[in-house]
Amino acid sequence: MKRVRVFAPASIANLGCGFDIMGLALDEVGDILEMTLTEGDGITIRNDSGVPLPDDIEQNVVTPVIRKFFEMTGNKAHVDVVIQQKIYPGSGIGSSSASSAAAAFGMNALYGEPLSEEDVVVCAMEGENLASGGYHADNAAPAVMGGIVLIRGYEPLDVIKLPVPGNFYCSVIHPKLVVSTKEARSILPKQIPLHDAIAQWGNVGGLVAGLCTGDIALVGRAMKDAVAEPYRKAFIPGFDELREKILETGALAMNIAGSGPSVFALAKESHVAKRAGVVLEEHFKALGIGYECYVVKVSNKGTRMIV
């Protein structure tokens, strides 16, 4: 018998302009899985997290991740999974990717790490495909690797880890509104005007340049989304007004976290991030919408073993 206990962090995808190609890991918030390997063949999953999840293991993102690992390595065994801590599904802070990353990392650890870090991301993407109907790594890669990542390409997967400025804070609010990733993707146009594409390319370049040079002001200017936000902000009541209030706190930017409904504000000082967090809370409280709010540093730590 072999057993591991794994923590995988929450994450924020897109970062405004980086639709499907950029994401960052958050400190402190995430999923915990305990995984046990025994002789045999099969998968059992027990949910002890208190967060409602599908009873059918075929609908749990952990299942295709484990199967992908066995396919990639040629191994076979029975795997018992206990989900001990879980980000609420539909939160917009990488719920499916946290479990997927934890499962992929845990399987690799149980077998003595036969896969590279990038291959672990490939495994985790199987869970993302089940959750959203597409293979994307903007949550899975930062959840596995930590920090801020750029996915340069998918065929083959090419992930680049970018520098994380020391003074990089996020205020993230998860309003108790459920927006499924599939629904949030379905409303997006299949084609975009050239002028919107040009604006997006410029912002992605500016965001990467700002991170590489430590120019936090440039990072804030570049975190603008001309592609997905104009459509997805309709899921979040009072989005434009909220952004105005957030920027008045001194925050550098405010964007939708992944497909929503979570919203995050970026700041270069912790006190500004805390002030932005208060504004986020007040906004949804006034609307009578429940929420969870976190003020955390961007984390260089990805998925890891815990005691």
Side-chain angles (χ1 to χ4, degrees):
M1 181 186 295
K2 294 181 180 179
R3 179 178 291 129
V4 295
R5 193 163 177 257
V6 181
F7 172 85
S11 55
I12 292 176
N14 299 347
L15 308 188
C17 56
F19 180 72
D20 273 6
I21 62 165
M22 295 192 76
L24 58 79
L26 296 173
D27 213 4
E28 302 172 15
V29 187
D31 286 10
I32 296 175
L33 267 59
E34 184 179 82
M35 306 179 71
T36 305
L37 207 63
T38 56
E39 291 186 3
D41 185 12
I43 301 168
T44 59
I45 301 173
R46 189 175 84 233
N47 178 21
D48 288 351
S49 69
V51 174
L53 295 172
D55 293 327
D56 181 1
I57 69 164
E58 298 300 327
Q59 299 303 312
N60 193 302
V61 297
V62 168
T63 301
V65 172
I66 293 172
R67 289 175 178 158
K68 182 66 174 179
F69 176 85
F70 284 145
E71 175 191 318
M72 293 175 73
T73 62
N75 291 300
K76 185 178 78 169
H78 185 91
V79 186
D80 288 302
V81 180
V82 180
I83 301 170
Q84 298 180 336
Q85 180 176 300
K86 185 80 197 83
I87 302 166
Y88 207 91
S91 65
I93 54 173
S95 171
S96 59
S97 63
S99 287
S100 300
F105 185 95
M107 291 301 298
N108 201 40
L110 284 165
Y111 279 94
E113 301 184 358
L115 299 183
S116 67
E117 189 174 52
E118 201 161 280
D119 283 339
V120 172
V121 175
V122 171
C123 268
M125 287 169 63
E126 289 293 328
E128 290 287 73
N129 181 51
L130 176 61
S132 64
Y135 288 93
H136 51 95
D138 48 349
N139 283 112
V144 170
M145 302 169 68
I148 303 172
V149 300
L150 167 70
I151 295 93
R152 190 215 57 79
Y154 280 94
E155 296 177 1
L157 184 66
D158 187 1
V159 181
I160 301 159
K161 196 166 180 180
L162 299 171
V164 180
N167 51 341
F168 216 38
Y169 297 85
C170 275
S171 306
V172 189
I173 194 160
H174 168 214
K176 295 301 176 66
L177 306 165
V178 175
V179 177
S180 74
T181 304
K182 288 182 180 178
E183 181 184 10
R185 293 181 82 85
S186 70
I187 66 167
L188 299 180
K190 303 304 179 188
Q191 296 180 330
I192 60 173
L194 181 59
H195 63 86
D196 289 342
I198 292 170
Q200 199 83 338
W201 295 331
N203 283 327
V204 170
L207 179 51
V208 172
L211 291 168
C212 289
T213 61
D215 188 338
I216 303 299
L218 174 57
V219 169
R221 294 200 307 274
M223 291 179 70
K224 296 177 182 176
D225 179 12
V227 173
E229 182 186 288
Y231 302 91
R232 288 179 168 175
K233 69 180 182 180
F235 290 122
I236 303 165
F239 180 85
D240 290 329
E241 296 82 358
L242 177 58
R243 171 177 275 156
E244 289 181 14
K245 294 175 185 176
I246 288 295
L247 295 180
E248 287 172 1
T249 69
L252 296 167
M254 188 197 88
N255 294 100
I256 299 170
S259 58
S262 290
V263 173
F264 76 98
L266 176 71
K268 60 180 179 178
E269 294 100 5
S270 61
H271 70 274
V272 175
K274 290 174 183 176
R275 195 159 61 225
V278 170
V279 171
L280 291 169
E281 290 182 344
E282 289 175 345
H283 177 80
F284 289 102
K285 189 182 295 181
L287 293 169
I289 298 171
Y291 59 84
E292 294 173 341
C293 191
Y294 311 96
V295 179
V296 294
K297 273 192 106 170
V298 177
S299 179
N300 266 310
K301 297 177 183 177
T303 303
R304 54 197 182 270
M305 305 276 283
I306 57 173
V307 178

